Amino acid sequence: MELRRRLYVIIFGTDTSAGKLFDLTLLSLIIASFVVAVLDSVEQYHVEFHDVFLLAEIIFSLIFAIEYATRIWVSPNRWGYVKSLYGIIDLLSLLPILFLWVDPSAAHLVVVRVLRVLRLFRILRLTEFLVEEQLLIRAIQQSSKMIFIFFLIVAILATVFGSTMYVIEGPEHGFNSIPEGIYWAVVTITTVGYGDITPQTAIGKSVSTLVMLTGYSIIAVPTGVFTASLASELKSNHRSAFSCPHCGRFGHEKDANYCRHCGASMSAKRQTAKRLATKRGEDD
C-alpha cells in the first residue's frame, strides 16, 4: 500500500519534483510518439524507416499501456478516473495499436495522442483559466437547445434544396442522387463552395442563388446565440463574484455603492479588494 500511495502522489500530483519529472517525461514521450506518426505518414520516410517506426510505436504503446494500467491501480476512485476526460483520452491513445493488427493504415491514428498534451494545463497549474473555461461551458450548455434547433432547420433546408436540385438538374449534370444533392446543398449553405457539383440550367442556377443567399442569411445565427449566452454568463459572473460585507449575499456589481439585499454600504468591501490588489502587485 505504501508503494501504491507513493505512485499516486507521483502520477497524479504536481507538487513534488518526482511528479513534475514524471509528467514532463510523459509529455516528451507523447510528443515523440506524435512526431514518429507524422514522419511515418511521409512516403519516403515510411519506405526507408518502416521497421524503425514500427518498433518505436510498439515501445511507445507498451509504455502508455503500463502507465494507463498503473493510473487505474493507484487511483482511489478507479471508475471515476476511467470516466474522466483524461481517462478517456488515455484510453483512446491506446486503441490505434490494437487496430494496427487488423489494418496497418490505422497506425496513423496514434496522432490522437497529441490530445494528451492537455495535461500541460495541469502541470503548469494554469488555474487562472479555469474560470473562463467554466464560463464557456455554461454558455454552450445554455445555448445548446437553440443551436440544436437551428441545426435541425438547416438540415431540413439542405434536404429540401438537395432534393429539388436532384429533380431539376438530374444525373446528366452531376446530381446522381438525392444524397449528392443534399451534399451540394450543405456545401452551398455553409458557403464552402467546393465547386465539384454545379447547376447548369437556368432554374438550377436560380435555386442555387436562393440557397447561397439563405446561407449568408443564417450563418450568423449560431454565432449570435452563443455570443448572447456568453455575454449573459459574463454578466452573471461579474455580479455574483462580489458579496456584501454585512449580509454576505452575492449578486452585486463591483461598482455598487449599497447592498441590493440589506442596503448596507459596499464601500468597505471595495476598499478591501483594492488593498488586496495593491498588495498582490507589490508582492509581484
Side-chain angles (χ1 to χ4, degrees):
M1 296 299 294
E2 179 65 21
L3 176 61
R4 180 180 174 184
R5 187 187 66 82
R6 292 182 61 183
L7 287 176
Y8 173 79
V9 174
I10 293 175
I11 294 176
F12 286 94
T14 58
D15 297 329
T16 63
S17 57
K20 293 179 181 179
L21 178 61
F22 172 82
D23 285 333
L24 292 176
T25 303
L26 178 62
L27 282 178
S28 299
L29 290 173
I30 293 170
I31 295 174
S33 174
F34 175 74
V35 171
V36 169
V38 171
L39 293 177
D40 191 34
S41 65
V42 180
E43 182 65 24
Q44 177 183 350
Y45 297 146
H46 175 76
V47 173
E48 187 174 355
F49 303 104
H50 172 71
D51 295 338
V52 176
F53 290 152
L54 180 60
L55 177 61
E57 179 53 37
I58 293 176
I59 294 175
F60 285 134
S61 298
L62 288 175
I63 294 175
F64 293 141
I66 294 173
E67 180 248 345
Y68 179 69
T70 305
R71 284 183 182 273
I72 296 178
W73 179 60
V74 303
S75 177
N77 185 4
R78 296 175 180 176
W79 183 237
Y81 161 71
V82 173
K83 295 190 302 181
S84 66
L85 174 62
Y86 288 138
I88 294 174
I89 292 176
D90 292 345
L91 178 61
L92 288 176
S93 67
L94 297 176
L95 295 181
I97 194 63
L98 299 179
F99 294 133
L100 180 62
W101 301 104
V102 180
D103 183 7
S105 62
H108 301 309
L109 294 177
V110 297
V111 295
V112 74
R113 287 178 182 164
V114 75
L115 293 177
R116 302 190 74 187
V117 178
L118 290 174
R119 293 185 180 276
L120 183 65
F121 285 90
R122 184 174 66 90
I123 297 171
L124 298 181
R125 305 179 67 84
L126 300 180
T127 54
E128 63 268 23
F129 295 115
L130 295 180
V131 175
E132 285 74 12
E133 176 188 358
Q134 294 298 321
L135 285 174
L136 287 175
I137 292 176
R138 289 198 299 268
I140 292 174
Q141 292 174 342
Q142 183 178 352
S143 58
S144 59
K145 291 183 178 179
M146 296 182 64
I147 292 178
F148 179 71
I149 293 175
F150 171 79
F151 172 80
L152 288 180
I153 294 175
V154 173
I156 293 172
L157 288 176
T159 303
V160 172
F161 284 132
S163 302
T164 302
M165 290 300 291
Y166 169 72
V167 174
I168 295 175
E169 297 292 329
E172 60 272 16
H173 293 149
F175 292 82
N176 299 314
S177 63
I178 291 180
E180 289 196 8
I182 295 175
Y183 158 77
W184 169 86
V186 171
V187 171
T188 306
I189 289 178
T190 56
T191 69
V192 176
Y194 289 129
D196 51 344
I197 304 176
T198 56
Q200 302 297 322
T201 65
I203 300 179
K205 291 180 180 179
S206 300
V207 174
S208 178
T209 302
L210 177 61
V211 174
M212 287 185 282
L213 292 176
T214 302
Y216 277 110
S217 300
I218 65 178
I219 196 171
V221 173
T223 305
V225 170
F226 176 75
T227 302
S229 299
L230 182 60
S232 176
E233 287 296 328
L234 287 172
K235 183 177 180 180
S236 176
N237 182 71
H238 178 76
R239 294 173 62 91
S240 62
F242 202 68
S243 63
C244 174
H246 298 275
C247 66
R249 300 178 68 178
F250 290 89
H252 306 87
E253 299 287 350
K254 291 186 177 181
D255 58 350
N257 293 320
Y258 300 96
C259 174
R260 60 185 302 185
H261 302 288
C262 67
S265 174
M266 300 287 289
S267 59
K269 185 73 173 180
R270 289 200 305 274
Q271 292 174 3
T272 302
K274 184 176 181 180
R275 286 197 301 269
L276 291 175
T278 303
K279 186 177 184 302
R280 283 196 298 268
E282 293 175 351
D283 293 339
D284 294 339

